[in-house]
Amino acid sequence: MRKIMFRMLLPLVAVLLPAAGCAGWGGAANNAFKPTDFADYLQREGVKVESVRDMPPEPFRATSGCAIKVAGSEIGVYKYDQTSAVQRKRLNRIARDTRTYINGIPYPVAVQGSFMVFGLDKNPQKREIMRVLKKFK
């Protein structure tokens, strides 16, 4: 009887285990995207993107980054790879504190999934960008 139950459950486990694994490591649905993908998403959602340029991720110890110019003001978008325990821990701390530090000076940030957005506080379209960021999954 046990063997029959095991054989019946095995295909179900094979399907559900990978999905459970994704949730188990704290992964975000948007972990597969790049910062430039967020720029494309902003554009598709009706926010006029004036320019996009790559930024070095090292100052924030992220995986990748870019600057997106919206309404004459740049925001920094940095991606943290949540499959890395170190990156996930760093992003969780930033999300909890809602700020990051540059030379010891705190700056407010927004976090959604695997992404940290820097410089929103001074952007004239902050509300629109935040609306789109919350949907970026």
Side-chain angles (χ1 to χ4, degrees):
M1 183 69 166
R2 280 186 173 172
K3 283 185 179 182
I4 294 171
M5 273 178 85
F6 181 74
R7 286 184 185 156
M8 291 173 64
L9 289 176
L10 191 58
L12 182 62
V13 170
V15 170
L16 294 178
L17 193 59
C22 290
W25 54 257
N30 65 6
N31 196 57
F33 296 116
K34 300 176 289 195
T36 53
D37 293 330
F38 180 64
D40 295 338
Y41 192 70
L42 279 170
Q43 193 79 21
R44 281 194 308 272
E45 289 292 316
V47 176
K48 183 169 177 0
V49 173
E50 298 167 19
S51 66
V52 179
R53 62 185 176 92
D54 286 333
M55 293 289 290
E58 290 81 17
F60 298 106
R61 294 184 276 169
T63 303
S64 55
C66 77
I68 303 172
K69 192 172 188 179
V70 174
S73 178
E74 280 189 332
I75 59 171
V77 178
Y78 294 87
K79 190 244 176 138
Y80 291 82
D81 182 4
Q82 293 207 38
T83 62
S84 162
V86 172
Q87 292 261 313
R88 187 173 59 252
K89 183 178 176 183
R90 185 173 295 127
L91 185 62
N92 287 340
R93 180 185 45 78
I94 292 168
R96 182 190 68 232
D97 297 346
T98 65
R99 69 182 58 110
T100 193
Y101 295 85
I102 300 174
N103 293 329
I105 301 169
Y107 290 91
V109 296
V111 174
Q112 174 65 34
S114 297
F115 290 84
M116 175 188 77
V117 181
F118 175 82
L120 272 175
D121 54 318
K122 296 179 183 173
N123 194 291
Q125 288 196 356
K126 174 184 177 177
R127 289 182 195 267
E128 273 301 300
I129 296 168
M130 283 299 296
R131 178 188 64 79
V132 174
L133 180 64
K134 287 177 184 175
K135 292 172 36 178
F136 187 60
K137 297 178 182 176

